[in-house]
Amino acid sequence: MAKQKSGVRAGITGTGRSHNVQVCEILAVSKAEEDNTKTRSKKKAEHSQQYPHEFTVSYMMRTRQHQWRCSDVTFHCPNQGLCEQWITVINEQLSLLTNRPKSLLVYINPYGGKQRGKRIYEQKVAPLFHRACISADVIVTEHANHARDHLKTEASLEKYDGVVCVGGDGMFSEILHGLVTRVQTDHGVDQNQPDAELVPCSLRIGIIPAGSTDCICFATVGVNDPVTSALHIIIGDSQPVDVCSVHHKDIFLRYSVSLLGYGFYGDLLTDSERKRWLGPARYDLSGLKTFLSHNYYEGTISFLPAEDAVGSPRDKLQCRSGCHVCQHKLSSKDKQWDISEREKPDKDGSGWNVMRGKFIAINAANMSCACPRSPKGLSPSAHLADGTLDLILVRKCSRLDFFRHLLRHINTDDQFDHSFVEVHRVRMFHFQPLYQESISLDDLNETPKKTGCSPMCPAPTACSYNTIYSSWTCDGEILPHAAIQVSVQCQLIRLFARGIEEQ
């Protein structure tokens, strides 16, 4: 659509320049309010007399660093009939965009981040929803897991076209668990079965970033900006995302969409939970403490390689909007692994790889895990919806070598280019600590006992804190078991996003 058409003129310009906007990027059209102010210029007054009838088109405009903004352009018509005709035609075109939501269920976390969730929604998001004629039922959560429990049992999901969370990654995790559990319950799927085929969720999830960490929003949109996320919701973008199901034996633990971390990241998060009163600064303090402790943990990691997957963890092919890797459909051969290869890794000929050793960190990235501090993320070439995850193994090394590995998360060097680091693209993995578990989550959260010399000594490879177990962090939550089984559920959910666009 152009700013200047036959019989229609844009009131913001007299130069005749045009600006094309795709219908799919138009948010709304409405009859413009009359400008009766006395400050109108003489030229504008003469223009209004010639074209007295107006309508305004609101559309999405790209700005810098993946940010979107809502922009308006007002058109002037010589008569009311032509003005109404344009409004009708544009609304008819918008009505054909069936992917756009008309009714949303919104959950707001008023406590997350800097406690700005409610204000962000009311001042930045709600006006945009109103302009786009989207109705929203808003629930302000009152306690932990309020949104999860409401979605699991009470919410009338048939009334809505999507679910929106206003908060951080923790709030998104509540929505994820509530919605996925509700869908599996409605379809009679037992989530405690590790080999269960989960039913994909039909409702899309929108994320309005307002938390301490908004990594999932950053990795799927490219920026943590409430207005940008709201516009993605309004125009009805849809981005499929893989979800990992995590089990301990035959007990379902949690779902993960970003990072599963054992060792360094597990210890970091466990320590940071004791310092929540510090706010986001707790992650920096706990990170330094964990780095100086330099723990390593013994165990066995077994994984099923994604041998037929398109791409590899080190191919430098980043997941972007319209990613051909994520659009690649699983062939019949790819699907067979789900049935014939979900065997225990100790069976011969099953295709599993088994590795035993001492690990400083074991990370499983379902997406790049990019964030403002680490624009590339833990695994820059991980994909959102290809049915795999990248398994990163960091073996015991010196503190200096581990620091070099961490440093590469914030520069352009290959963070996997170390002799003590290996990365595999997998469909499933199991982890078993060296000793059988006989401790509780409370025990895991206790301060580790010192079994070596001081972590500040000059021989970091020979002396370090060494405990029996670390703990797994699953999208920011601590798991109660160290021995876990993880399976990738391909494209289990969809977000109101389109992936990061190339600039």
Side-chain angles (χ1 to χ4, degrees):
M1 184 176 179
K3 282 185 179 178
Q4 187 164 334
K5 294 284 187 178
S6 178
V8 183
R9 296 195 63 175
I12 64 169
T13 178
T15 63
R17 66 182 175 86
S18 63
H19 179 72
N20 295 323
V21 178
Q22 297 182 15
V23 173
C24 63
E25 295 181 349
I26 295 176
L27 306 181
V29 59
S30 60
K31 192 171 182 179
E33 296 181 1
E34 294 186 11
D35 183 6
N36 294 320
T37 62
K38 297 180 180 181
T39 58
R40 290 191 301 172
S41 66
K42 181 178 179 181
K43 184 176 180 180
K44 189 173 182 181
E46 292 175 354
H47 184 272
S48 297
Q49 289 178 0
Q50 187 178 0
Y51 297 92
H53 300 280
E54 308 171 356
F55 66 92
T56 299
V57 174
S58 302
Y59 64 96
M60 178 275 291
M61 179 177 66
R62 290 171 177 82
T63 60
R64 59 183 179 86
Q65 297 179 341
H66 306 291
Q67 287 188 351
W68 290 4
R69 287 295 178 263
C70 180
S71 185
D72 294 333
V73 58
T74 298
F75 294 86
H76 292 256
C77 303
N79 59 74
Q80 184 175 353
L82 182 60
C83 180
E84 293 179 350
Q85 183 181 356
W86 271 102
I87 294 174
T88 300
V89 169
I90 295 174
N91 277 325
E92 287 176 351
Q93 292 296 313
L94 294 179
S95 68
L96 298 177
L97 303 175
T98 56
N99 60 320
R100 295 194 171 190
K102 296 179 176 61
S103 179
L104 296 170
L105 177 58
V106 179
Y107 294 94
I108 300 175
N109 178 5
Y111 307 109
K114 297 181 180 179
Q115 302 182 357
R116 299 178 302 173
K118 196 168 183 290
R119 179 161 55 89
I120 286 175
Y121 179 79
E122 292 174 347
Q123 295 182 2
K124 297 184 177 183
V125 179
L128 291 173
F129 284 175
H130 178 74
R131 183 182 300 191
C133 300
I134 296 176
S135 64
D137 290 339
V138 179
I139 297 177
V140 179
T141 59
E142 300 175 355
H143 52 80
N145 295 320
H146 182 175
R148 183 201 66 182
D149 296 341
H150 183 262
L151 277 170
K152 285 170 61 175
T153 57
E154 300 178 36
S156 301
L157 299 182
E158 66 278 358
K159 295 166 47 180
Y160 305 105
D161 301 311
V163 181
V164 175
C165 64
V166 183
D169 291 338
M171 187 63 177
F172 170 79
S173 182
E174 280 197 38
I175 302 298
L176 168 72
H177 284 82
L179 188 58
V180 172
T181 300
R182 174 69 172 272
V183 172
Q184 308 319 309
T185 301
D186 290 347
H187 288 82
V189 177
D190 184 2
Q191 295 179 100
N192 285 319
Q193 297 301 318
D195 58 350
E197 184 175 349
L198 302 185
V199 179
C201 302
S202 58
L203 287 182
R204 285 167 289 175
I205 302 174
I207 307 173
I208 303 297
S212 299
T213 58
D214 299 293
C215 293
I216 297 169
C217 181
F218 191 92
T220 55
V221 176
V223 65
N224 289 332
D225 176 62
V227 172
T228 301
S229 294
L231 293 176
H232 277 289
I233 295 170
I234 291 171
I235 66 176
D237 276 338
S238 183
Q239 170 63 53
V241 175
D242 295 338
V243 177
C244 286
S245 57
V246 185
H247 292 77
H248 172 70
K249 298 181 179 178
D250 288 333
I251 302 172
F252 169 72
L253 299 180
R254 289 190 72 85
Y255 293 114
S256 170
V257 296
S258 58
L259 175 67
L260 278 161
Y262 184 82
F264 179 76
Y265 288 104
D267 293 351
L268 188 159
L269 189 72
T270 300
D271 186 77
S272 71
E273 285 298 296
R274 307 187 192 103
K275 301 178 176 65
R276 294 190 68 90
W277 54 275
L278 284 174
R282 67 186 185 272
Y283 298 115
D284 295 328
L285 182 60
S286 294
L288 177 61
K289 178 181 176 182
T290 304
F291 171 76
L292 294 176
S293 297
H294 199 58
N295 290 338
Y296 66 86
Y297 302 93
E298 298 188 60
T300 301
I301 186 84
S302 311
F303 59 88
L304 182 63
E307 296 178 349
D308 298 325
V310 178
S312 68
R314 299 185 66 180
D315 59 12
K316 297 184 179 180
L317 181 62
Q318 294 182 315
C319 188
R320 290 294 182 259
S321 181
C323 175
H324 77 277
V325 174
C326 295
Q327 291 177 346
H328 174 72
K329 300 297 182 182
L330 292 176
S331 66
S332 57
K333 183 178 180 180
D334 292 327
K335 293 179 180 179
Q336 289 177 359
W337 75 269
D338 192 46
I339 301 173
S340 63
E341 294 188 349
R342 282 178 178 261
E343 303 289 343
K344 292 184 178 180
D346 57 353
K347 291 191 176 182
D348 295 334
S350 64
W352 286 77
N353 289 356
V354 180
M355 296 183 180
R356 298 175 179 85
K358 300 173 181 179
F359 303 97
I360 292 178
I362 300 174
N363 301 318
N366 221 31
M367 55 178 63
S368 68
C369 301
C371 64
R373 289 192 174 186
S374 177
K376 292 193 308 177
L378 286 179
S379 187
S381 296
H383 290 269
L384 294 172
D386 66 340
T388 70
L389 60 82
D390 288 351
L391 183 63
I392 306 165
L393 307 177
V394 183
R395 295 184 180 272
K396 181 184 175 184
C397 62
S398 71
R399 188 181 290 107
L400 179 59
D401 280 342
F402 187 57
F403 176 74
R404 288 171 177 158
H405 169 66
L406 294 178
L407 192 62
R408 291 190 176 187
H409 289 84
I410 59 175
N411 60 32
T412 58
D413 295 332
D414 182 2
Q415 58 231 54
F416 304 132
D417 189 21
H418 295 286
S419 60
F420 55 89
V421 178
E422 53 187 286
V423 58
H424 306 272
R425 186 150 287 175
V426 307
R427 300 194 187 279
M428 302 175 64
F429 77 88
H430 298 178
F431 177 74
Q432 180 64 51
L434 178 63
Y435 303 101
Q436 294 294 326
E437 292 184 79
S438 60
I439 56 176
S440 67
L441 178 60
D442 293 335
D443 297 324
L444 287 173
N445 288 333
E446 289 180 358
T447 302
K449 294 182 179 179
K450 183 177 177 182
T451 59
C453 58
S454 168
M456 296 299 293
C457 70
T461 56
C463 54
S464 61
Y465 287 120
N466 183 13
T467 57
I468 296 178
Y469 304 118
S470 176
S471 50
W472 285 94
T473 170
C474 177
D475 293 1
E477 299 293 332
I478 298 296
L479 297 183
H481 298 282
I484 60 171
Q485 304 163 257
V486 179
S487 301
V488 182
Q489 306 290 335
C490 186
Q491 301 186 8
L492 187 65
I493 62 171
R494 288 182 174 268
L495 302 183
F496 283 108
R498 63 173 60 177
I500 299 175
E501 291 185 311
E502 294 284 2
Q503 292 188 308

